[in-house]
């Protein structure tokens, strides 16, 4: 899988004051990102237990450093040094990558991801040709459902944010597009948690880092290559999320691709043609076995993907939950652990 530069995130950074007073914070979190379709199969195949069940980690911010430490891996981002330290917790080793090296990788991988996506022609709902960003209308809606519950000791209430991207001057069901829904359970604003959000935006300013909690840059790259509208949708989500009057303790974000009316009609015709061809009686034993295999494969595909006539299918689901928040952060919490050796 590949990396992609998410340039639109940089705009958000303009909202930050460069001389803002910064505090320390550490939050224990658990997150899980699940991609649908072909990309989901690849992630589950190579991502191991973490890809299937999610990860638990401790996220600490102190000054220009952010450390995200899990059971098997960790990462330290240093904005002043412009370096990323990737940690292997089991082998007690780390590898250093500069921002410049990462930018180059992202540029190279973006081209490769787009080429791969064009060749594969995924079955998931995707506009036949996504409109350019300057030809997109973005509809925004936020609702307080009135529901309340206690999560990890935090008193929360539910707010659902919906962002719809469609071609200018056309309805969603006509042009197709993308719908992002973020189901958030908010607690009264925790001032210290804004430090994590601010750090991520500062990082985005310098590197155009990944925008989906729980997903690697590789996964986001492959997804955005398949679904170009994901980039402006996530950028808008982050902008609006920063305006929320509260801190999200639990967030479930769902990204749905929506087919255009033309594409729905084409898929329905293709499905009808496939159905008619599968009803023909094979003339030979080998043909009969082939028909059985084809029918089994079609049944398996139907069980793992939406009906061709359904204009909407889920591209990605991301879940993030805050378990604990503290403001006592030591320098060691954002440093490479003692005894770790660098892999060069």
């Amino acid at each position: 899988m590949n990396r992609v530069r998410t340039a639109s995130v940089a705009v958000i950074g303009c909202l930050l004051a460069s001389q803002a007073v910064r505090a320390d914070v550490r939050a224990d979190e658990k997150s899980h990102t699940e991609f649908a379709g072909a990309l989901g199969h690849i992630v589950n195949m190579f991502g191991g237990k973490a890809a299937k069940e999610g990860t638990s980690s401790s996220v600490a911010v102190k000054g220009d450093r952010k450390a995200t430490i899990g059971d098997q891996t960790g990462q330290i981002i240093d904005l002043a040094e412009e370096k990323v330290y990737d940690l292997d917790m089991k082998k007690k080793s780390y590898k250093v990558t500069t921002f410049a090296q990462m930018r180059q990788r992202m540029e190279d991988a973006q081209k490769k991801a787009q080429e791969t996506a064009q060749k594969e022609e995924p079955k998931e709902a995707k506009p036949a040709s996504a409109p350019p960003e300057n030809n997109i209308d973005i509809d925004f809606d936020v609702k307080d459902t009135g529901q309340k519950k206690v999560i990890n000791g935090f008193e929360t209430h539910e707010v659902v944010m919906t962002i719809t991207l469609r071609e200018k001057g056309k309805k969603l069901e006509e042009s197709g597009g993308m719908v992002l829904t973020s189901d958030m359970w908010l607690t009264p604003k925790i001032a210290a948690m804004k430090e994590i959000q601010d750090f991520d935006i500062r990082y985005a300013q310098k590197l155009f880092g990944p925008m989906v909690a729980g997903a690697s840059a590789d996964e986001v790259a492959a997804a955005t290559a398949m679904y170009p509208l994901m980039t402006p949708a996530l950028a808008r989500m982050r902008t609006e999320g920063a305006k929320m009057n509260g801190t999200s303790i639990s967030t479930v974000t769902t990204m749905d691709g929506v087919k255009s009316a033309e594409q729905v009609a084409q898929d329905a015709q293709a499905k009808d043609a496939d159905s008619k061809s599968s009803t023909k009686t094979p003339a030979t034993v080998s043909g009969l076995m082939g028909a059985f295999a084809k029918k089994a494969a079609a049944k398996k595909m139907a069980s793992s993907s939406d009906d061709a006539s359904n204009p909407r299918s889920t591209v990605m689901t991301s879940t993030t939950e805050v378990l604990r928040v503290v403001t006592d952060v030591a320098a060691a919490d954002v440093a490479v652990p003692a005894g770790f050796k660098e892999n060069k």
Side-chain angles (χ1 to χ4, degrees):
M1 287 177 285
N2 311 285
R3 296 176 185 267
V4 66
R5 185 176 66 179
T6 52
S8 53
V9 188
V11 178
I12 308 168
C14 297
L15 300 176
L16 293 179
S18 61
Q19 300 301 320
V21 177
R22 310 197 184 282
D24 301 339
V25 62
R26 186 175 76 247
D28 295 334
E29 302 178 344
K30 62 179 181 181
S31 60
H32 182 220
T33 298
E34 182 178 359
F35 292 97
L39 179 58
H41 291 311
I42 295 173
V43 171
N44 288 333
M45 185 180 299
F46 296 102
K49 184 177 179 181
K52 296 177 182 178
E53 301 179 7
T55 59
S56 295
S57 60
S58 175
V59 181
V61 170
K62 188 177 182 67
D64 285 329
R65 277 203 167 198
K66 175 185 175 183
T68 304
I69 308 297
D71 293 334
Q72 299 183 33
T73 63
Q75 186 180 76
I76 298 171
I77 301 171
D78 193 310
L79 298 182
E81 296 179 356
E82 294 201 353
K83 292 180 180 178
V84 174
Y85 299 77
D86 288 303
L87 312 178
D88 187 322
M89 307 308 291
K90 289 188 175 182
K91 295 181 180 180
K92 293 188 175 182
S93 63
Y94 67 94
K95 185 175 182 179
V96 181
T97 307
T98 66
F99 283 15
Q101 291 171 326
M102 293 183 70
R103 290 187 197 100
Q104 186 59 53
R105 286 186 200 171
M106 292 163 116
E107 292 287 348
D108 295 341
Q110 181 184 19
K111 295 177 183 178
K112 186 175 180 181
Q114 291 172 339
E115 291 171 358
T116 301
Q118 290 172 357
K119 291 178 182 178
E120 290 179 353
E121 296 180 356
K123 297 290 184 180
E124 293 90 348
K126 172 187 173 183
S129 57
E133 286 192 38
N134 60 1
N135 194 36
I136 293 175
D137 274 336
I138 301 180
D139 303 322
F140 173 73
D141 179 68
V142 60
K143 293 181 180 178
D144 190 325
T145 66
Q147 298 297 311
K148 299 181 180 181
K149 66 179 178 180
V150 178
I151 302 177
N152 301 327
F154 297 95
E155 297 279 354
T156 70
H157 67 281
E158 185 182 35
V159 173
V160 179
M161 177 171 61
T162 305
I163 295 172
T164 303
L165 289 88
R166 54 184 173 77
E167 190 173 342
K168 280 185 180 294
K170 294 184 179 181
K171 296 181 179 180
L172 178 65
E173 57 270 22
E174 180 184 1
S175 68
M178 184 158 281
V179 178
L180 183 149
T181 305
S182 189
D183 187 348
M184 299 171 286
W185 291 87
L186 303 178
T187 197
K189 190 174 288 291
I190 303 173
M193 284 295 287
K194 191 173 184 296
E195 296 303 318
I196 295 177
Q197 184 181 67
D198 286 356
F199 186 97
D200 290 340
I201 295 175
R202 292 164 63 205
Y203 178 46
Q205 282 183 285
K206 288 200 170 188
L207 185 66
F208 310 110
M211 300 186 302
V212 184
S216 70
D218 291 345
E219 294 164 357
V220 174
T224 50
M226 287 183 178
Y227 305 94
L229 290 180
M230 181 179 284
T231 299
L234 290 171
R236 180 63 183 268
M237 180 191 71
R238 175 164 291 203
T239 302
E240 298 298 339
K243 300 176 184 177
M244 290 293 169
N245 186 24
T247 297
S248 181
I249 299 302
S250 176
T251 304
V252 178
T253 301
T254 304
M255 182 82 73
D256 289 340
V258 182
K259 300 175 184 177
S260 65
E262 180 182 1
Q263 191 173 9
V264 171
Q266 291 175 349
D267 289 349
Q269 290 177 357
K271 183 180 180 182
D272 184 56
D274 289 342
S275 176
K276 289 180 180 179
S277 65
S278 65
T279 59
K280 295 180 180 179
T281 303
T284 64
V285 174
S286 61
L288 181 63
M289 294 302 292
F292 277 128
K294 185 176 181 180
K295 185 176 181 180
K299 184 177 181 181
K300 183 176 181 181
M301 182 175 292
S303 66
S304 61
S305 62
D306 292 342
D307 187 90
S309 61
N310 188 350
R312 181 180 297 201
S313 66
T314 299
V315 175
M316 178 202 77
T317 302
S318 177
T319 303
T320 304
E321 186 174 332
V322 176
L323 306 178
R324 186 174 69 115
V325 179
V326 297
T327 55
D328 183 16
V329 181
D333 292 332
V334 292
V336 175
F340 276 53
K341 295 182 178 180
E342 181 179 358
N343 288 333
K344 297 184 178 180

